[in-house]
């Protein structure tokens, strides 16, 4: 028996990275998944690989109200209802706050914060109609602490934790649990954009990423997207049945304190 047998879960940003691994793990645990993203080719290829009985790809910009409405309709058409959501889509921009253009700040907030809000607002009534379920929001290590050069991102991820706590309070009476994952550094295209650059040397860029996190993270490495997916699964299944409104850090010990070694 799978931990998500009979469940239907919408996962945003599911074409690659953590969202892709969440989709793979959720399907392996018996869920049917709706994969939302703006990377059509990768999203459709993943849905095809997982099979039509288990997965559908829906093009959606999480910052668009209309796209959320259409995704909810598509999910219900495909699988009859929705009882889970993983708000995973996100973008990262590096800049000093004092030099950040307003448009850049707003773009990060639109995807990371407004996208999460719209997901909750659009799908909570559907999940309630299905008798209850789960919402997992993707915050970050930087939702709990600061980091230089990622001001817009950190602000948006702090906001995701605020949304998580309020949604947990408001949705508990409707049998919906809402929690957040807070990854540290995870080995995806977000932390290693050179991996997507055909001109970059993949070995050199991976070595640079590895060297950085060997120094910064007590466990001596970046996380794997599968390790975040395992936490999202825990928060989406009955193993976490008495947990709601909480942030869960998955960071190899980075946030534990100052490492001297
Ligand atoms: N990788 C890390 O180190 C790390 C650390 C902390 C938190 N996170 C968070 O984890 C989540 C997943 O990131 P990842 O590491 O897999 O990065 P990623 O860049 O590989 O994946 C992000 C996915 O979101 C999609 N996306 C971006 N904008 C979108 C939009 N407007 N609408 C729909 N989809 C959109 C992208 O196309 C991509 O498929 C993000 O919320 C990110 O902020 C990542």
């Amino acid at each position: 028996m799978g931990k998500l047998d009979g469940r239907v879960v919408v996962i945003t940003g599911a074409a690659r990275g953590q969202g892709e691994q969440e989709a793979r793990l959720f399907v392996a645990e018996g869920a049917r998944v709706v994969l939302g993203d703006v990377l059509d080719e990768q999203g459709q290829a993943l849905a095809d690989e997982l099979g039509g009985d288990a997965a559908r790809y829906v093009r959606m910009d999480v910052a668009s109200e209309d796209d959320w409405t259409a995704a909810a309709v598509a999910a219900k058409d495909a699988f009859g209802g929705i009882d889970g959501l993983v708000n995973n889509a996100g973008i990262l921009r590096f800049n000093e706050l004092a030099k950040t253009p307003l448009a850049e700040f707003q773009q990060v907030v639109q995807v990371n914060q407004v996208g999460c809000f719209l997901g909750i607002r659009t799908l909570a009534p559907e999940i309630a109609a299905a008798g209850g379920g789960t919402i997992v929001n993707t915050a970050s290590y930087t939702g709990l602490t600061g980091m230089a050069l990622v001001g817009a991102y950190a602000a948006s991820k702090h906001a995701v934790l605020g949304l998580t706590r309020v949604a947990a309070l408001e949705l508990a009476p409707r049998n919906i649990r809402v929690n957040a994952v807070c990854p540290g550094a995870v080995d995806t295209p977000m932390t290693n954009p050179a991996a997507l650059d055909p001109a970059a040397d993949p070995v050199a860029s991976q070595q640079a990423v590895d060297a950085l996190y060997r120094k910064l993270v007590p466990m001596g490495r970046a996380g794997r997207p599968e390790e975040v997916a395992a936490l999202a699964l825990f928060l989406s299944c009955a193993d976490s049945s008495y947990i709601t409104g909480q942030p869960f850090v998955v960071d190899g010990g980075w946030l534990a304190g100052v490492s001297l070694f």
Side-chain angles (χ1 to χ4, degrees), residues 38-180:
V38 289
L39 296 176
D40 295 338
E41 210 173 303
Q42 281 167 269
Q44 189 60 57
L46 178 60
D48 291 346
E49 184 193 328
L50 293 172
D53 291 343
R56 290 297 153 86
Y57 173 70
V58 177
R59 181 189 173 81
M60 63 178 295
D61 176 350
V62 293
S64 158
E65 281 186 286
D66 290 347
D67 285 4
W68 272 106
T69 305
V73 170
K76 284 189 293 180
D77 283 352
F79 299 128
I82 302 164
D83 62 10
L85 166 64
V86 180
N87 274 315
N88 164 76
I91 58 172
L92 173 65
R93 299 286 180 268
F94 290 98
N95 224 328
E96 283 177 48
L97 273 177
K99 293 181 180 161
T100 301
L102 177 59
E104 181 178 304
F105 193 95
Q106 286 175 327
Q107 184 195 20
V108 172
V109 167
Q110 278 296 115
V111 177
N112 296 0
Q113 178 178 339
V114 175
C116 178
F117 155 67
L118 288 176
I120 295 168
R121 197 189 68 180
T122 311
L123 296 195
E126 305 293 346
I127 300 172
T134 52
I135 297 175
V136 175
N137 297 324
T138 305
S140 165
Y141 169 93
T142 61
L144 292 156
T145 189
M147 182 183 290
L149 301 182
V150 297
Y153 183 82
S156 71
K157 295 299 190 180
H158 276 70
V160 167
L161 293 185
L163 288 168
T164 300
R165 293 181 173 114
V166 173
L169 296 171
E170 294 180 357
L171 297 174
R174 295 159 85 182
N175 198 26
I176 301 173
R177 297 185 295 106
V178 188
N179 290 291

